[in-house]
């Protein structure tokens, strides 16, 4: 029986969002995207949204305590019981540790960390391309893009080393078309 508590991990611009949409359809799982949750709050100009915007506009992470509280609330909801796909969380080792605690309290655990690997230069090219296509504020400015890359390297990437000893990391080559990358991800669940 294939476990269904899944993290989709990878640098900004790796195509996590696109792959997540396909994977939740394939596995019939709820999609928990912290980026989407923050964008919803920003659009609706909530207090949480105002806080999130002040960090995301600069390419920085929203502080852990804010992000963890939001995820804890979501994972406690009834539709999470048969599994979930986390997209964009955790993005720091403290978040990864907090997630372990949240799941322990819910009497469940992680099954897979899908790690989409893309080289640094490709990340930059992809983010610049996305900036012109989607017009996302956090993708538009080269300084912000560099911040996002640095933040990934310094704060997010260490999460993978936190998970490796647990034997749940599935490395996926993120270079190729959307279909090619998805086919590699799909193999994990065959
Ligand atoms: P994303 O769409 O996943 O790239 O997220 C957009 C922005 O939301 C990020 O650049 C961060 O500012 C913020 N964000 C999303 N997920 C997290 C997280 N797990 N921790 C902190 N900030 C986050």
């Amino acid at each position: 029986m294939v476990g269904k508590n899944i993290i989709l991990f990878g640098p900004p611009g790796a195509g996590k969002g696109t792959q997540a949409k396909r994977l939740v359809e394939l596995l019939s799982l709820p999609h928990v995207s912290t980026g989407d949750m923050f964008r919803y709050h920003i659009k609706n100009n909530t207090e949480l949204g105002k806080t999130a915007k002040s960090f995301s506009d600069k390419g920085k992470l929203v502080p852990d305590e804010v992000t963890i509280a939001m995820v804890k609330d979501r994972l406690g909801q009834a539709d999470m019981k048969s599994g979930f796909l986390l997209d964009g969380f955790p993005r720091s080792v403290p978040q990864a540790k907090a997630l372990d605690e949240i799941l322990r309290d819910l009497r469940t655990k992680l099954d897979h960390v899908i790690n989409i690997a893309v080289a640094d230069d490709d990340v930059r090219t992809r983010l610049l391309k996305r900036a012109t296509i989607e017009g996302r504020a956090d993708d538009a400015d080269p300084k912000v893009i560099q911040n996002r890359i640095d933040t990934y390297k310094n704060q997010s990437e260490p999460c993978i080393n936190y998970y490796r000893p647990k034997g749940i990391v599935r490395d996926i080559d993120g270079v190729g078309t959307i279909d090619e990358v998805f086919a590699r991800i799909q193999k994990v669940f065959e």
Side-chain angles (χ1 to χ4, degrees):
M1 163 75 184
V2 177
K4 280 194 169 183
N5 292 345
I6 305 162
I7 289 175
L8 198 59
F9 193 84
K16 281 195 301 290
T18 310
Q19 299 296 342
K21 284 198 188 88
R22 288 196 172 194
L23 194 56
V24 293
E25 213 164 285
L26 179 78
L27 303 175
S28 302
L29 290 177
H31 180 191
V32 181
S33 159
T34 44
D36 284 352
M37 289 161 95
F38 285 134
R39 276 185 288 277
Y40 173 85
H41 280 280
I42 291 168
K43 199 171 129 207
N44 290 287
N45 207 24
T46 66
E47 282 309 309
L48 179 58
K50 285 178 203 160
T51 305
K53 187 170 165 46
S54 67
F55 292 93
S56 68
D57 274 358
K58 299 192 190 98
K60 292 185 177 170
L61 293 184
V62 179
D64 282 342
E65 64 268 24
V66 176
T67 308
I68 290 164
M70 183 176 78
V71 170
K72 183 174 181 174
D73 180 64
R74 183 68 188 95
L75 292 182
Q77 290 168 17
D79 62 326
M80 297 287 122
K81 289 221 164 67
S82 51
F84 52 79
L85 181 72
L86 269 176
D87 163 13
F89 184 93
R91 254 173 156 113
S92 70
V93 172
Q95 289 183 13
K97 289 182 175 166
L99 178 62
D100 278 350
E101 247 178 66
I102 292 168
L103 295 180
R104 200 177 312 130
D105 288 350
L106 293 169
R107 296 193 160 62
T108 185
K109 61 173 182 49
L110 282 172
D111 299 295
H112 304 283
V113 178
I114 309 282
N115 180 34
I116 306 179
V118 179
D120 292 359
D121 279 353
D122 288 340
V123 168
R124 204 181 312 272
T125 316
R126 286 178 187 211
L127 287 179
L128 283 166
K129 199 166 142 201
R130 186 163 77 182
T132 43
I133 296 169
E134 291 181 19
R136 263 175 62 161
D138 58 350
D139 280 348
D141 177 341
K143 247 194 302 183
V144 174
I145 290 179
Q146 192 55 49
N147 266 345
R148 277 160 65 77
I149 293 170
D150 292 345
T151 301
Y152 178 75
K153 284 269 150 206
N154 299 331
Q155 288 176 265
S156 306
E157 209 171 47
C159 291
I160 283 298
N161 294 330
Y162 174 79
Y163 288 124
R164 280 219 192 272
K166 301 179 194 288
I168 55 173
V169 176
R170 322 284 172 223
D171 291 296
I172 302 291
D173 176 2
V175 179
T177 63
I178 291 172
D179 285 342
E180 284 163 352
V181 176
F182 188 65
R184 292 173 198 143
I185 295 175
Q186 226 175 329
K187 280 216 178 82
V188 173
F189 300 96
E190 274 168 3

